[in-house]
Amino acid sequence: MSQNISSVLVENRVFKPSKDFAKRARISSMEQYRKMWKESIAKPDRFWAREAADLVWQKKWTKVLDWKLPFAKWFVGGKLNVSENCLDRHLGTARQNKAAIIWEGEPGEKRVLTYQQLHREVCKFANVLKRNGAKKGDRVIIYMPMIPEAAVAMLACARVGAVHSVVFGGFSADSIKDRIEDCGASLVVTADGGYRRGSIVPLKKNVDDALKAGGKNIKKVIVFKRAGNDIHIEEGRDVWWHREMEYVDAKCPPTALDSEHPLFILYTSGSTGKPKGILHTTAGYLIQCYTTCKYVFDLRDEDVYWCTADIGWVTGHSYIVYGPLSMGATAFMYEGAPNWPENDRFWRLIDEYKVTVFYTAPTAIRAFIRWGDEWVTKHDLSSLRLLGTVGEPINPEAWMWYHKLIGGGRCPIVDTWWQTETGGHMITPFPGATPTKPGTATLPFFGVDAAIVDDDGKEVPMNVGGKLVIRKPWPGMLRSIYGDKARYKQTYWSEVKGSYFAGDGARRDKDGYFWIVGRIDDVLNVAGHRIGTAELESVLVSHPAVAEAAVVGRPDELKGQAIVCFVTVKNGQQAHPELREELRKYVRHVIGPVATPDDIRFAEALPKTRSGKIMRRLLKQVASGQVVTGDTTTLEDLGVLAKLANDD
Ligand code: PRX
């Protein structure tokens, strides 16, 4: 039976790690956590040098940190290769023939790649990249389904020093084109199609459309045959992955790259109409991924670790590929939807593969609750030892359900707060040490100096809400917005002097725990995905029938936030239901299915202040059906509001 998840549960219980868990954990007490955290803040050089010594360096660094606010360089003078750290260093050890990736396709195919096999695939594909003109520093777009080859392509880029930019398969042709053009990519790696809920997503077709619309810099498209759907092959430009792999040999030494060599660019929404290319570099990013997998997931050789994110998001980068593989762990990877062919696919997989560590998003947990407990209880989930969440605040009901039904009451839950920009976990429990409370990401990770401040940058008292900031550089931090240092400075380092402003609001409780409230900028968090309202608005107003648009979020039981668009039409245009459907399709077409509006409301005018600013606070209240409260004296036309509220 499905449960009612709309009730507001107040959960005051504190959940302490069990003695058994703590006994084996790398961080096994709060004293140990506090001591290490203090050292990481007071003596970051010493702390991070010790962690960095776990990795393989082709040349040792000369200085741990060079910080010229807001620009950081970590492990200055060092040289290393990320793919060597994820692969080569496990060869010749007991891990050589251990599963690196265990994969299941949505239709049910199964594959296992050992470290040895993955290494071979990556070396060969690195040679394919070179054969097709990719050189150190060149940008490569990866637009792939959730198959091992997505990881192979990323690691192969890292091996030759090419910079990957993975585009999530739920983004459209236009979004691919924009990203190609913004980063100046010369190569695309894609597949004919991928499976999602029983259908084939036409990935190659989307790439073709992107390249028809622009992206003239693209010289080659490498296509992996996954779904067998019919595709167009452009002679001279498009080549098949499997053919290319026949021409190359399996030797490809890892290129020695500077610590600050760019590893990837990942686009994410901000508060302007244009997604930002978040730039991550080599050494610091890898250390953030490695140390968080080591201390937060506390990964062990015998673990089967499953992160359900898509490789197109940062979670997939850090916690499917770079973190687990640098630890020599076994990562499980699944291609498709959680409710295909039935609602218990995930539990079936955990049972079959004996998954031990499971990392997913609150929005998914809320869907599982709605589908009903019986899908869970018919499977044996006793292999699980640790659970994690990421992407949005978790409501206590979902936390408790996750704890009881999935974790059997015995698995600690790590609620990990972080962002595309931070590279890895920033605020998180340590599963063998931190007492957890449902709904809080608890305390900062090593090296993270987090605080909550008011508009003047002053730290706020206990339980008072404010802006979440980070006051010191950390290894996995973004280095810039690709090609736009001024925007990097402006976006992240100008709101609160001397600090990184994350865009989130939060408060701290009496134990110093951080309770993240959510975005306080104009960015929505829809099912754990970031969508900028300005981006949606600029798409809507580019439609010929639309005069003005304002987009706000509405609380949503399942997705966290739903997208509500207020639209005024141009003179002579009719606001009819077909136009509503057309606009919904139009947004899907331009940005992709992830950004599909939930609600489009036509209005005669949008409520504005006398200076012409759209009053979003009011629109949010209208969208969520609340009575509008607060100061409306500056409203240009109060009648506008009444009309908006009455719209269906
Ligand atoms: O608002 C916060 C929310 O997700 C945002 C970052 O989104 P993105 O860059 O797409 O990365 C998602 C995966 C790391 C944050 O600004 N967020 C992420 N994790 C949490 C969270 N909010 C509350 N609790 C979390 N654990």
Side-chain angles (χ1 to χ4, degrees):
M1 267 235 315
S2 68
Q3 296 180 352
N4 175 12
I5 54 171
S6 60
S7 61
V8 178
L9 181 108
V10 179
E11 181 55 72
N12 293 323
R13 269 181 291 172
V14 176
F15 295 82
K16 289 208 173 112
S18 71
K19 286 212 174 70
D20 276 354
F21 197 101
K23 218 164 45 201
R24 296 194 60 209
R26 290 185 177 94
I27 307 294
S28 58
S29 69
M30 285 304 277
E31 292 66 53
Q32 188 190 357
Y33 158 67
R34 282 200 197 94
K35 189 165 164 253
M36 285 176 72
W37 184 81
K38 276 191 193 133
E39 185 203 358
S40 73
I41 296 294
K43 303 232 159 23
D45 289 15
R46 192 167 81 186
F47 183 90
W48 290 113
R50 202 170 55 227
E51 291 299 329
D54 278 4
L55 300 179
V56 176
W57 294 82
Q58 298 196 15
K59 180 168 172 259
K60 201 180 166 206
W61 64 91
T62 50
K63 192 174 174 199
V64 172
L65 172 64
D66 175 14
W67 177 228
K68 292 194 181 70
L69 194 139
F71 298 102
K73 289 184 184 148
W74 284 88
F75 305 99
V76 182
K79 282 191 190 297
L80 75 169
N81 186 285
V82 167
S83 90
E84 180 177 25
N85 274 285
C86 290
L87 301 168
D88 305 55
R89 74 169 166 141
H90 308 308
L91 305 185
T93 76
R95 292 183 182 139
Q96 173 157 326
N97 296 313
K98 169 184 172 173
I101 296 178
I102 302 179
W103 175 84
E104 189 166 306
E106 195 186 74
E109 315 91 314
K110 300 170 196 300
R111 283 170 67 193
V112 177
L113 284 164
T114 64
Y115 272 95
Q116 162 80 59
Q117 289 167 325
L118 185 61
H119 174 262
R120 187 179 161 84
E121 292 299 296
V122 168
C123 287
K124 285 180 74 178
F125 195 66
N127 284 331
V128 169
L129 288 175
K130 285 196 224 161
R131 216 177 103 78
N132 284 280
K135 294 184 301 299
K136 179 174 154 187
D138 286 354
R139 273 79 62 215
V140 175
I141 295 282
I142 299 177
Y143 186 63
M144 300 278 274
M146 281 289 291
I147 54 176
E149 281 68 21
V152 170
M154 290 164 76
L155 289 160
C157 284
R159 198 158 187 93
V160 301
V163 184
H164 61 70
S165 185
V166 183
V167 179
F168 171 55
F171 280 121
S172 66
D174 267 17
S175 300
I176 304 171
K177 183 202 84 173
D178 289 349
R179 285 154 174 75
I180 291 174
E181 291 181 346
D182 188 79
C183 72
S186 54
L187 222 143
V188 177
V189 184
T190 188
D192 49 359
Y195 290 94
R196 185 82 194 172
R197 215 162 283 125
S199 315
I200 294 176
V201 185
L203 298 169
K204 173 62 166 59
K205 159 97 178 39
N206 290 347
V207 170
D208 290 345
D209 290 348
L211 296 182
K212 261 184 224 137
K216 296 295 168 231
N217 201 31
I218 295 295
K219 307 280 184 308
K220 286 282 163 91
V221 178
I222 306 175
V223 189
F224 183 79
K225 198 181 194 109
R226 159 71 188 127
N229 48 318
D230 274 346
I231 58 160
H232 165 74
I233 291 285
E234 180 89 19
E235 275 311 313
R237 186 195 71 187
D238 301 350
V239 294
W240 283 107
W241 175 301
H242 58 275
R243 288 266 169 77
E244 292 296 300
M245 292 289 260
E246 285 168 12
Y247 299 124
V248 292
D249 73 12
K251 274 207 195 70
C252 180
T255 313
L257 298 168
D258 191 272
S259 290
E260 286 297 332
H261 182 75
L263 177 66
F264 68 86
I265 301 164
L266 188 58
Y267 286 83
T268 189
S269 294
S271 47
T272 71
K274 195 170 161 259
K276 306 171 280 197
I278 304 301
L279 178 72
H280 282 287
T281 58
T282 297
Y285 171 79
L286 184 64
I287 283 163
Q288 193 86 31
C289 294
Y290 173 79
T291 50
T292 48
C293 278
K294 176 171 157 192
Y295 294 119
V296 178
F297 294 136
D298 206 3
L299 289 184
R300 306 283 161 169
D301 264 325
E302 58 277 23
D303 274 323
V304 178
Y305 157 85
W306 182 14
C307 163
T308 67
D310 191 281
I311 229 146
W313 306 107
V314 74
T315 311
H317 285 54
S318 304
Y319 296 113
I320 297 178
V321 182
Y322 295 119
L325 297 179
S326 63
M327 283 284 292
T330 295
F332 176 72
M333 194 173 168
Y334 166 60
E335 179 186 34
N339 53 352
W340 188 266
E342 288 192 296
N343 291 339
D344 62 344
R345 185 63 179 270
F346 276 13
W347 321 128
R348 196 176 279 280
L349 292 169
I350 290 179
D351 190 353
E352 179 172 343
Y353 293 93
K354 301 293 167 221
V355 171
T356 57
V357 181
F358 182 65
Y359 189 38
T360 195
T363 185
I365 297 170
R366 291 192 296 268
F368 304 146
I369 297 174
R370 182 171 281 190
W371 295 341
D373 296 358
E374 64 274 20
W375 294 107
V376 181
T377 50
K378 65 177 169 185
H379 297 284
D380 174 10
L381 306 185
S382 61
S383 57
L384 289 170
R385 65 173 191 87
L386 174 63
L387 303 174
T389 69
V390 58
E392 56 181 313
I394 182 163
N395 47 313
E397 295 93 320
W399 197 101
M400 286 308 299
W401 184 90
Y402 198 34
H403 171 72
K404 283 191 201 143
L405 261 283
I406 307 304
R410 75 184 175 278
C411 304
I413 298 179
V414 287
D415 171 354
T416 59
W417 176 86
W418 59 293
Q419 309 176 297
T420 306
E421 290 86 342
T422 69
H425 302 154
M426 296 294 277
I427 299 180
T428 172
F430 287 77
T434 316
T436 52
K437 307 176 198 178
T440 163
T442 73
L443 295 166
F445 185 70
F446 301 133
V448 176
D449 182 17
I452 299 176
V453 300
D454 62 17
D455 286 341
D456 301 324
K458 270 215 341 261
E459 216 167 334
V460 297
M462 183 178 90
N463 275 325
V464 174
K467 294 172 177 162
L468 173 58
V469 296
I470 314 292
R471 299 182 291 200
K472 281 192 162 63
W474 65 99
M477 66 190 273
L478 79 164
R479 299 304 196 259
S480 187
I481 292 176
Y482 186 72
D484 201 344
K485 283 190 175 161
R487 191 176 171 199
Y488 163 71
K489 224 168 153 171
Q490 170 63 28
T491 309
Y492 300 107
W493 299 90
S494 66
E495 183 99 7
V496 179
K497 203 167 176 289
S499 289
Y500 167 84
F501 173 54
D504 280 336
R507 67 178 172 86
R508 291 185 89 164
D509 68 13
K510 64 175 179 21
D511 298 316
Y513 282 19
F514 286 79
W515 293 74
I516 315 290
V517 178
R519 305 288 308 191
I520 49 176
D521 53 5
D522 290 325
V523 173
L524 306 182
N525 190 329
V526 181
H529 300 148
R530 263 163 80 166
I531 317 255
T533 52
E535 206 177 326
L536 283 157
E537 286 162 6
S538 75
V539 171
L540 285 165
V541 296
S542 72
H543 187 280
V546 175
E548 262 193 317
V551 176
V552 297
R554 156 164 55 77
D556 183 273
E557 236 185 46
L558 268 189
K559 299 197 279 186
Q561 277 190 303
I563 302 173
V564 181
C565 312
F566 292 91
V567 169
T568 64
V569 295
K570 284 186 183 152
N571 276 342
Q573 297 282 346
Q574 290 294 316
H576 46 68
E578 295 85 71
L579 179 61
R580 182 174 285 141
E581 208 29 56
E582 186 179 319
L583 290 177
R584 186 172 286 137
K585 281 204 189 118
Y586 181 69
V587 174
R588 269 178 84 93
H589 173 77
V590 178
I591 307 182
V594 282
T596 309
D598 294 277
D599 197 357
I600 295 183
R601 298 191 184 191
F602 292 116
E604 280 174 27
L606 299 176
K608 290 188 185 154
T609 61
R610 291 212 175 90
S611 63
K613 250 183 100 185
I614 293 173
M615 301 187 82
R616 291 171 176 284
R617 179 177 56 80
L618 291 180
L619 287 178
K620 274 186 206 158
Q621 290 175 328
V622 172
S624 59
Q626 293 169 27
V627 180
V628 175
T629 54
D631 181 18
T632 55
T633 51
T634 51
L635 251 185
E636 195 187 69
D637 173 9
L638 276 170
V640 163
L641 200 59
K643 287 194 186 109
L644 287 173
N646 288 336
D647 191 60
D648 60 357

